[in-house]
Amino acid sequence: MNIRYLFLAALTLVTLGAQSVFGQATWNGIGNWATDAANWSPAPPIAGENVLIGSGTVNLTTNQVTNVGNYGILNIDGSTLNVNNGGSANFVGESNLGTVGGGKAVINVGSGGSLDFNGTTNLGREDGGGLDLHITGSGSITTHGPYTDSWWGEPVLISVRGPNAQVTFGGTHFVGSVATVEAIITNASSHSAINIPDTLDIIGGASLRVAFDGVSPSLGDRWTIYDYANSTGGTFSNLDTSLLTGGVSFTVDYNATGTINANAVQVVVSNTLDVLVDTATGAVTLRNPVAGGLPYDIEGYTVSSDSGSLDATEFTGLGEANWLPAMGAQGPTFINETNFINSTLISSGATFPLGDIFAGPATGDANGDRVVNGLDYLVWAANFDTNPGPDGDPSDGDFNDDGAVDGLDYLAWAGAFGDDGRDLSFSFLTSAGDIVNGTVTYYSSVVSSAVPEPSTMLLAGLASLALCLTRRRS
C-alpha cells in the first residue's frame, strides 16, 4: 500500500479521536463502573470511546477509573451517575446529560468526585426527561464550553450544597426557562458559587430556590450563587421560597462584586409573612415573625391546599374591620379574605389567629400529625379487636367510625396511606398591589405519646388482621 495512504489513514484516526473512533460502551444495570464489567455492552469503555448510560445506576468511585485519558461523549438516558470518593472522568465532544427521547438523568457528584467536559454540555435535551444535577461536599464539575446549555425546554435542576464544592461552567451558560438553580446553604459565611468565567445568560422563566440547613439566617445576610465575568442582564422569573419557613425570604442582587470574576449574583435574606400551623389542633396563625423584619401593609391573603386539607367552617379571619371573604366559594382547597376599603399593617412580631382551619387527611390519621403513615398503623394494631363504641375516633384506630377497630379500619388506613395534608401555601396582596408568596411553618403543640414498638406491633397487627379476615370469610 502506498505510504501516503497509510499516513493519511493514521492522521485521520488521530483527527477523529475526539469523535470516538473506537465506538461506544453502553451501561445497563446497577453497580460499579470498573468492577461490574457485565453491565457494559459490549465491554467497559476505553479511552476515546463514547459512554452511554442507558438505564440503572452506575457508581464511579475510588480507583475504579484510572489512567483512562479522555472519553468521547457522555450521554445519559433516564439513568443515574454517582461520582464520589475519588472517582473521576473526562469527556471530549458534545455531551448530553438527559438525551433526546430518554427519561430524566440524575448526576450526583459528591466529595472526592469530579467530572470534566471539554465540549458543549447540554443539561437536558428537547423531548428528554430533563436532568437533576447535584454537587455536594467537595465534589467538582467543570465544563469548558463553548456552551453549557439548559435552555432545551426540559426541566433541569442544578443543585449546589455547602461551601466546598467546585463548579465551573465554561463558555456561555444558559439558564433555561424551566431550569431551577438551587442553593442549599450550610455555612453562615460562605457558599459554593458557580463560576462563570465567560457569560451568564438567565432566560425568562428560570427559578432560583434557596434552602438553609444548619444555618439560622439573619436579615441582610448574603451568599454568592453565581460569580461571573459577563452577563446578558437576565434575571430569575421565580424566587422559590418553598423550602423556607418562619417568615424568612430572600431577594437577589444581580450586581454584587465577585471574588473570582468581576461580578456576582447574590441572595440576600429578607422577610415575608408566615402562617404558623399547629398540626395537633389545626390552628393557623398569620404572623410577621422575623425580629426587626419589614412590616407589610396588606389588603388580602389566600391559604390554599392542593390535597383539600382546609376546613372553612372553622375560619375566623383576621378579626379586623372591613375584612370579608373574597369572591368564590371557600372550601377545602382554599380560604381567602380581602379588605375592599382599606388595609391592615402586619408589623414585626404581630400575630392574627385565623381559626382551626387545618384539617389534614380525611381518614387514616390516628396520631393527629396530618400524615397517614406507619405510625397510624401502629395505633390501629394496638387497638385491634377493641370496641370503643360511639365515642371512638381515629385516635383509637376506628377510621370508619363504626364503633369497632377491625379489618375495615385497616383497609381505610391502607387506602389513605401516604396522604399528607401538609401542603399548604400562602400568599398575600400588599397595598402597593404586589402579590407576595409567604412561608408556611408546621409545629405541634402536643408532645407525641409513646407508640408501640414497631416490630412487635407490626407482627401482632398483621396476625390480628389475618384472624379478622378469616373470621369474616367463615
Side-chain angles (χ1 to χ4, degrees), residues 142-226:
T142 302
T143 69
H144 297 275
Y147 302 106
T148 304
D149 293 342
S150 63
W151 59 271
W152 294 97
E154 295 298 327
V156 171
L157 170 66
I158 302 170
S159 178
V160 181
R161 179 186 179 89
N164 299 314
Q166 302 293 321
V167 185
T168 299
F169 290 156
T172 298
H173 171 42
F174 294 99
V175 185
S177 61
V178 290
T180 297
V181 177
E182 179 180 74
I184 303 177
I185 296 170
T186 64
N187 185 282
S189 59
S190 64
H191 180 70
S192 302
I194 300 175
N195 175 21
I196 310 294
D198 196 340
T199 303
L200 174 64
D201 188 351
I202 303 174
I203 300 171
S207 299
L208 176 60
R209 182 163 64 220
V210 175
F212 297 99
D213 187 358
V215 174
S216 298
S218 299
L219 288 175
D221 286 349
R222 58 174 60 216
W223 292 265
T224 298
I225 306 302
Y226 278 107

Side-chain angles (χ1 to χ4, degrees), residues 241-245 275-284 303-311 332-333 357-363 365 367-376 416-426 439-445 448:
T241 61
S242 61
L243 300 180
L244 303 179
T245 60
V275 289
L276 181 66
V277 182
D278 186 345
T279 59
T281 66
V284 175
V303 180
S304 59
S305 166
D306 289 341
S307 67
S309 295
L310 297 172
D311 183 0
T333 58
I357 62 174
F358 182 51
T363 189
D365 179 22
N367 62 356
D369 64 356
R370 270 59 176 183
V371 184
V372 181
N373 55 22
L375 296 178
D376 304 302
F417 182 79
D419 288 354
D420 189 338
R422 299 171 303 177
D423 66 344
L424 301 191
S425 59
F426 164 61
T439 63
V440 180
T441 302
Y442 298 95
Y443 85 107
S444 176
S445 60
S448 299

Side-chain angles (χ1 to χ4, degrees), residues 437-459:
N437 291 324
T439 63
V440 180
T441 302
Y442 298 95
Y443 85 107
S444 176
S445 60
V446 176
V447 178
S448 299
S449 59
V451 297
E453 171 60 34
S455 58
T456 302
M457 292 312 304
L458 180 63
L459 294 174

Side-chain angles (χ1 to χ4, degrees), residues 233-309:
T235 61
F236 289 100
S237 298
N238 305 300
L239 302 183
D240 185 345
T241 61
S242 61
L243 300 180
L244 303 179
T245 60
V248 173
S249 186
F250 66 93
T251 59
V252 182
D253 181 355
Y254 294 93
N255 300 300
T257 301
T259 57
I260 306 172
N261 306 289
N263 311 291
V265 175
Q266 295 184 336
V267 294
V268 183
V269 175
S270 61
N271 71 293
T272 185
L273 301 183
D274 178 62
V275 289
L276 181 66
V277 182
D278 186 345
T279 59
T281 66
V284 175
T285 302
L286 188 153
R287 61 180 187 157
N288 187 346
V290 178
L294 298 174
Y296 281 93
D297 200 31
I298 69 170
E299 295 182 350
Y301 63 91
T302 298
V303 180
S304 59
S305 166
D306 289 341
S307 67
S309 295

Side-chain angles (χ1 to χ4, degrees), residues 396-407:
D396 300 312
D398 182 14
F399 300 128
N400 64 354
D401 197 29
D402 66 353
V405 181
D406 53 23

Side-chain angles (χ1 to χ4, degrees), residues 10-83:
L11 179 62
T12 300
L13 287 176
V14 172
T15 303
L16 296 178
Q19 300 177 22
S20 305
V21 298
F22 296 113
Q24 175 173 278
T26 300
W27 172 277
N28 290 289
I30 299 176
N32 293 322
W33 183 295
T35 59
D36 295 321
N39 287 332
W40 289 104
S41 177
I46 59 176
E49 276 196 314
N50 290 346
V51 176
L52 169 62
I53 302 177
S55 66
T57 299
V58 56
N59 299 306
L60 179 54
T61 55
T62 305
N63 299 323
Q64 290 189 330
V65 178
T66 58
N67 302 318
V68 297
N70 291 331
Y71 294 109
I73 296 171
L74 173 64
N75 292 298
I76 300 182
D77 180 5
S79 50
T80 299
L81 171 62
N82 297 320
V83 188

